[in-house]
Amino acid sequence: MSIDPRVALQSLTTALEEHLAAAASRRGDDDPNVEAAFSAIMEAFEAYEDALYDTYGEVTPLVIYDESAEEDEEEFDDADEVADPFDDDLEIEEK
């Protein structure tokens, strides 16, 4: 049973407002109130997008930013630094 997209949208709007309030009163880099508000936005957005899709078959153009995916990508980028034996620009020193 899906929730009404309007209710989900209102929850998302409220989560965004609460995040703004938490950010405005931040008490350091790792303020738990800001982190909780950040998580609430992600949960509310997922609920809204699910409700929107279930009801209308529609999605938003937004994507949730995932820091862990960026870390995985950085590890993958490091692997690209290994010399590619099939690279035409690779210079091989002849003896």
Side-chain angles (χ1 to χ4, degrees):
M1 181 177 185
S2 179
I3 63 172
D4 183 326
R6 292 181 193 281
V7 172
L9 177 60
Q10 184 58 48
S11 295
L12 176 57
T13 302
T14 299
L16 290 166
E17 290 173 348
E18 289 174 359
H19 182 266
L20 175 60
S25 63
R26 173 187 295 266
R27 296 181 188 147
D29 289 340
D30 295 327
D31 188 323
N33 293 330
V34 176
E35 291 180 16
F38 181 92
S39 295
I41 289 173
M42 290 190 330
E43 291 173 15
F45 173 74
E46 288 176 346
Y48 171 66
E49 187 139 278
D50 288 346
L52 187 65
Y53 185 79
D54 291 346
T55 304
Y56 302 113
E58 189 60 56
V59 295
T60 69
L62 307 174
V63 177
I64 294 177
Y65 175 71
D66 184 4
E67 289 178 351
S68 64
E70 184 176 287
E71 290 170 5
D72 293 343
E73 186 176 304
E74 287 175 7
E75 289 175 17
F76 183 73
D77 287 345
D78 291 343
D80 290 342
E81 293 176 11
V82 175
D84 180 358
F86 301 106
D87 186 355
D88 293 337
D89 296 332
L90 185 63
E91 294 180 21
I92 300 175
E93 188 176 313
E94 294 184 27
K95 293 184 181 182

